[in-house]
Amino acid sequence: DDLLSVQLVACNGILPAVAPPLELDLPSPVALRALGLSAEVLAPSGSFASSGALSSRPSTSGTISSAFVQMSDGSDKDMSSDARVTLTSSEPACVAAAANLTASTHFWAVEGGGCTSVSLTAIFTLGAWQENATATVYIARPKALTVSAAVWPSCSSSDATTLYTLGCASPVVRQRVQFSAAYELEADLASYALSGTVTLSHSDVTLDPSNLE
């Protein structure tokens, strides 16, 4: 089909239309850049790693933050919110994926999933050209949880392994103890480590004292 048609209108009529030679030299897709993820490590809702009692925790969902196609003229085409980029998950029962990049959330951890990592595949389609890019998403899990006790109010000897009565008051007044807790998270991603403190007053935490009189 002609890209441009030129016609001259004269006072006594219209001259035949002419189609001047015109060719489009548009850049074509060459290759994909590496996918960028807003979060490589997720925590499923309802899991220890997603608890609001933790001072810091992984996200439960993420987005494809970088989705570029390298073009033949050396430029990069940004397709980070393009419907022509579709998504699939290797284990959708563990990490689900949106249909394409127009969604506000592109992938999320599924509660009850049993995997430790999944592969996300992004399929780029530009006309007849199609190419895939893959990224790995990991699931966080607890590594350690420690609980410690200290005399409260604090004093020079904060060891709370043995508690004493204070003076000769009646009823008896005993030393008080303040508990604290710390945690560590890990994932199959070797560089990942997250630690912090636990808010013991949070509704996710249940305190069950025993052997106290």
Side-chain angles (χ1 to χ4, degrees), residues 50-96:
S50 69
S51 172
L54 306 187
S55 58
S56 182
R57 53 195 178 275
S59 175
T60 57
S61 62
T63 60
I64 304 294
S65 57
S66 176
F68 289 96
V69 177
Q70 183 182 357
M71 307 301 286
S72 58
D73 62 355
S75 65
D76 284 340
K77 181 177 179 61
D78 185 4
M79 301 186 70
S80 57
S81 59
D82 201 302
R84 292 172 292 179
V85 183
T86 58
L87 296 174
T88 61
S89 169
S90 61
E91 294 194 50
C94 187
V95 174

Side-chain angles (χ1 to χ4, degrees), residues 42 44 89-96 109-110 112-119 137-141 188:
L42 300 181
S89 169
S90 61
E91 294 194 50
C94 187
V95 174
V110 178
C115 70
T116 58
S117 66
V118 303
S119 293
V137 176
Y138 300 89
I139 300 298
R141 58 183 179 268
D188 284 358

Side-chain angles (χ1 to χ4, degrees), residues 49-194:
S50 69
S51 172
L54 306 187
S55 58
S56 182
R57 53 195 178 275
S59 175
T60 57
S61 62
T63 60
I64 304 294
S65 57
S66 176
F68 289 96
V69 177
Q70 183 182 357
M71 307 301 286
S72 58
D73 62 355
S75 65
D76 284 340
K77 181 177 179 61
D78 185 4
M79 301 186 70
S80 57
S81 59
D82 201 302
R84 292 172 292 179
V85 183
T86 58
L87 296 174
T88 61
S89 169
S90 61
E91 294 194 50
C94 187
V95 174
N100 56 59
L101 295 193
T102 61
S104 57
T105 299
H106 296 151
F107 54 92
W108 56 94
V110 178
E111 186 174 356
C115 70
T116 58
S117 66
V118 303
S119 293
L120 283 181
T121 300
I123 305 169
F124 293 71
T125 303
L126 289 172
W129 185 86
Q130 189 175 87
E131 193 65 54
N132 298 348
T134 301
T136 302
V137 176
Y138 300 89
I139 300 298
R141 58 183 179 268
K143 179 181 180 181
L145 176 65
T146 58
V147 178
S148 57
V151 172
W152 186 88
S154 60
C155 59
S156 57
S157 177
S158 59
D159 182 13
T161 56
T162 302
L163 301 180
Y164 301 92
T165 58
L166 302 178
C168 302
S170 180
V172 175
V173 177
R174 292 182 172 86
Q175 287 181 307
R176 290 185 288 177
V177 175
Q178 186 174 56
F179 291 96
S180 60
Y183 69 91
E184 293 181 63
L185 301 180
E186 63 179 358
D188 284 358
L189 180 63
S191 60
Y192 181 78
L194 186 64

Side-chain angles (χ1 to χ4, degrees), residues 18-62:
V18 176
L22 184 63
E23 294 184 2
L24 290 179
D25 186 17
L26 298 177
S28 57
V30 175
L32 296 178
R33 301 293 189 187
L35 287 179
L37 305 181
S38 65
E40 283 186 286
V41 180
L42 300 181
S45 297
S47 67
F48 175 87
S50 69
S51 172
L54 306 187
S55 58
S56 182
R57 53 195 178 275
S59 175
T60 57
S61 62

